[in-house]
Each structure stands twice: as C-alpha cells, then as structure tokens.
Amino acid sequence: MIRKLGIILEMIKVEHTIFALPFAFMGALLGAVMMEKRLPEWGEIGWIILAMVGARSAAMGLNRVIDSAIDKKNPRTAKRAIPAGLLKVGEVLLFIAVAFVLLFFAAAKLNPICLKLMPIAVFMLVLYSYTKRFTWLCHVVLGLTIGLAPLGAWVAITGHLDLSAWVLYIAVATWLAGFDIIYACQDFDFDRKEGVHSIPARFGLIGALRIAKVFHFITAIGFIALFWMTDLSWGYLVGTIIAAGILFYEHWLVKPSDMSRVQTAFFTMNGALSTVLFVFTFLDLVVLHKW
C-alpha cells in the first residue's frame, strides 16, 4: 500500500504543487489585506493548502488516466506509472476520488461561496486533459485552470472578487500557459506525428517560443499593474523585477535549436518565480506595513 502510494505521488509530481501554491497564498494575502484589512488566519491558510493539494492531485491523476494511451506511445512518457504497468487505472481512480473528497471537505471549511463555485473548478480540471485532442489552445485552458488557485484563495478569504483579483488571475494564467508551451516543445515531433494538438505542433518551435514570450510579457504587465492597483509598495516591486528577470532567463535558456535545458526552465525557474513573488508580497504587506 505504501509502495503504491509512493508511485502515485511520484506520478502526479506532488512536489510541483510549489508552482501554484505560492500564488494561492498571494491571492489569500492580497484579498485579506485589501478587502478586509487583516491577515489571513492560520486555519484559513491550512484549508487552502488542503484544497490546493486535493485539486492538483485530482487534476494530475485525471490527466495521467485520460492520457495513458498517448503516454504509452510517446518515448518521453512511456515509463510513467500507468503505461509502464506500475499502477492500474482503478487504483488511480480511487486516488482521484479521495483527492476530490479532500477538495470538497476543504472548500466546505472556507467561505460558503467556495462550494458553490467548486463545480466550475472541477469542470476545468477535467476539461483540460481532453483539449489536446481538438485544440492547440490546450495550454491556455491549462493556464486558466491553474490560475484559479489565487482566484479561489481570494474568494475563500473575502467571499467576493474585485478587479485586482482578476488581474492576478490573468497574470498567473498567462504565466502558466507560457511555460506549458515551452514544456510542450519537447514533444514537437511526436505531437505532429500522432496528431496531438499543441501550439508547438501548430506553429513550429520558433513560433511557439515567440507566443510563449507574448504570454509572459502579459504576465509581467499584470504583476506590474498590481503594484499600481493595490496597497503594494516598493518591496513588492523589487520582487516583480526579480520575477521578470527569471522569465527573461527562462527564455534565454531555451532555443529552437536546443531543447536540452527545458527541464531547468520548466521546473527550477518557475518554482523560483512563484516563490519569489509570494515572499516579496509577504515582506511588503506584513513586514514593511507591519500588519
């Protein structure tokens, strides 16, 4: 049982929750300070973490089940747990059910509106895994789905949204869509051969990387806009400048003629970016403003 759980956790890359979790914290913190003039309570943060873990675990599990046939054909993904025979589909479905129960339970402990909006999040989580079968906009759908993390955390704390919350949502959504395009460049040849829809398969490697740059430019604009739209000050602005530098470095690492550093750009840089922005937001609002 423990061995199976370890395989499942490795399959869903649970450690990559760090990509979106700092942005969920950022949404919760901004919402609490801006809308309610307080800091989030520890209990609220705890339930947000559990909701995030449940949502992401369910999403990744669904993705692995739905894409298992495609993964088996792709040399890069053929050794994943399901196509390699390390896990049965039924075992993963049971894990997905538990993850959704965790998400439901955590949402029920937060603002009442969270339960009402949860079906939208679940629909988006399921939809993404099918989009690569019919549209190259699958990366955008993924971004809009993961972008719900800060939006959901904002709602969980405040019960409503304002323009700043939507700007944060768009910034995170375009950030994730951009780096998912970069990640998909690894499967350029396979996707074209098998008819899998993606921006690299549709526009080529050069075009895909250009589109990723546009998305990340929008991301940078969004984070800068938050500086002017909220109570954030120079501390946050320093973090934004560092984050913009990380985005620039990420695109410098990956070139159409050299995909060898995609993993570094995808995992290391993006984990660093979300963490940096949250840390500097926290320092700005909590330390400098002395909440």
Side-chain angles (χ1 to χ4, degrees):
M1 193 74 173
I2 295 176
R3 176 178 170 273
K4 289 284 187 180
L5 180 60
I7 294 173
I8 289 174
L9 293 179
E10 194 284 328
M11 177 190 70
I12 67 170
K13 303 295 182 186
V14 68
E15 67 274 14
H16 295 162
T17 305
I18 194 175
F19 285 170
L21 190 56
F23 282 126
F25 292 157
M26 185 173 168
L29 182 60
L30 279 172
V33 171
M34 285 186 56
M35 309 303 295
E36 302 193 357
K37 305 303 179 184
R38 66 177 178 90
L39 294 178
E41 297 177 3
W42 284 111
E44 292 172 324
I45 293 298
W47 291 119
I48 287 172
I49 292 173
L50 290 179
M52 280 287 300
V53 171
R56 189 189 177 280
S57 297
M60 286 295 293
L62 280 168
N63 182 261
R64 294 296 186 254
V65 170
I66 294 168
D67 281 354
S68 57
I70 295 175
D71 288 344
K72 190 172 184 178
K73 295 180 181 179
N74 188 342
R76 186 179 67 81
T77 57
K79 292 183 179 180
R80 285 177 176 170
I82 296 177
L86 300 177
L87 291 172
K88 296 178 181 178
V89 170
E91 293 170 330
V92 181
L93 289 176
L94 177 60
F95 174 79
I96 293 168
V98 172
F100 273 130
V101 169
L102 177 60
L103 171 60
F104 178 86
F105 185 71
K109 294 293 184 178
L110 292 163
N111 195 288
I113 197 174
C114 293
L115 274 183
K116 296 178 181 179
L117 296 178
M118 198 179 79
I120 298 175
V122 172
F123 172 76
M124 294 292 288
L125 292 175
V126 176
L127 173 66
Y128 161 68
S129 293
Y130 289 102
T131 52
K132 65 180 68 175
R133 289 161 172 78
F134 60 86
T135 178
W136 46 264
L137 290 172
C138 52
H139 316 282
V140 177
V141 175
L142 178 63
L144 293 174
T145 302
I146 305 301
L148 291 174
L151 203 64
W154 189 300
V155 169
I157 297 296
T158 68
H160 58 276
L161 298 167
D162 75 349
L163 182 58
S164 299
W166 289 108
V167 170
L168 177 61
Y169 174 58
I170 295 301
V172 174
T174 52
W175 163 70
L176 199 137
F179 82 68
D180 190 59
I181 292 170
I182 295 173
Y183 188 72
C185 287
Q186 298 176 105
D187 296 326
F188 168 71
D189 293 325
F190 174 82
D191 287 352
R192 280 197 166 178
K193 178 182 177 182
E194 296 294 328
V196 177
H197 294 269
S198 70
I199 284 179
R202 173 64 179 82
F203 297 99
L205 294 178
I206 295 176
L209 292 177
R210 286 174 178 169
I211 292 171
K213 287 178 182 177
V214 171
F215 277 126
H216 285 161
F217 178 75
I218 296 172
T219 297
I221 294 299
F223 287 136
I224 292 171
L226 285 174
F227 171 74
W228 300 104
M229 297 172 66
T230 66
D231 295 329
L232 292 163
S233 62
W234 65 268
Y236 167 80
L237 187 59
V238 171
T240 303
I241 293 171
I242 294 173
I246 291 173
L247 283 176
F248 178 84
Y249 181 63
E250 180 178 326
H251 285 276
W252 180 82
L253 281 174
V254 181
K255 297 176 176 59
S257 58
D258 182 10
M259 292 285 130
S260 63
R261 292 186 286 185
V262 166
Q263 296 292 328
T264 300
F266 182 75
F267 297 116
T268 307
M269 293 297 100
N270 288 294
L273 184 145
S274 59
T275 302
V276 162
L277 270 173
F278 168 67
V279 167
F280 276 87
T281 301
F282 180 85
L283 290 174
D284 191 291
L285 293 178
V286 178
V287 178
L288 296 181
H289 286 192
K290 297 181 180 179
W291 280 88

